[in-house]
Amino acid sequence: MTPVLVLLGLCLTVVTLCYLAWCAVSPWGTCLRCAPGGKNRTCRACKGTGMRPRLGWQVWTYLTRFHRDGTR
Ligand SMILES: [Zn+2]
């Protein structure tokens, strides 16, 4: 059973790394709230820009801010 678990862990690692790389390459994704109908100036989620930071990018920003505040 061990090789299966190793393969599973390897797949998860690869997927996570790919997602992180994707977040680093394009941290801005399209807004899910107003993307189907195009830009919506009154959209509060993206403030009318039609672009939103990806979840991974938000986590990264949170962590770096947390680290910076903690080491100050
Ligand atoms: Zn929006």
Side-chain angles (χ1 to χ4, degrees), residues 31 34 43 46:
C31 177
C34 57
C43 177
C46 63

Side-chain angles (χ1 to χ4, degrees), residues 31-35 40 43-48 50-52:
C31 177
L32 290 176
R33 279 206 202 172
C34 57
N40 183 357
C43 177
R44 275 193 291 168
C46 63
K47 299 186 184 84
M51 305 282 274
R52 285 194 76 189

Side-chain angles (χ1 to χ4, degrees), residues 19-27 57:
Y19 179 69
L20 286 177
W22 185 45
C23 280
V25 169
S26 65
W57 183 251

Side-chain angles (χ1 to χ4, degrees), residues 8-67:
L8 199 73
L10 211 69
C11 281
L12 275 174
T13 312
V14 169
V15 166
T16 310
L17 282 176
C18 281
Y19 179 69
L20 286 177
W22 185 45
C23 280
V25 169
S26 65
W28 296 90
T30 49
C31 177
L32 290 176
R33 279 206 202 172
C34 57
K39 274 197 224 172
N40 183 357
R41 282 182 185 277
T42 55
C43 177
R44 275 193 291 168
C46 63
K47 299 186 184 84
T49 57
M51 305 282 274
R52 285 194 76 189
R54 293 191 198 286
L55 184 68
W57 183 251
Q58 285 175 357
V59 170
W60 170 253
T61 316
Y62 173 79
L63 285 177
T64 46
R65 197 168 294 161
F66 190 72
H67 177 76

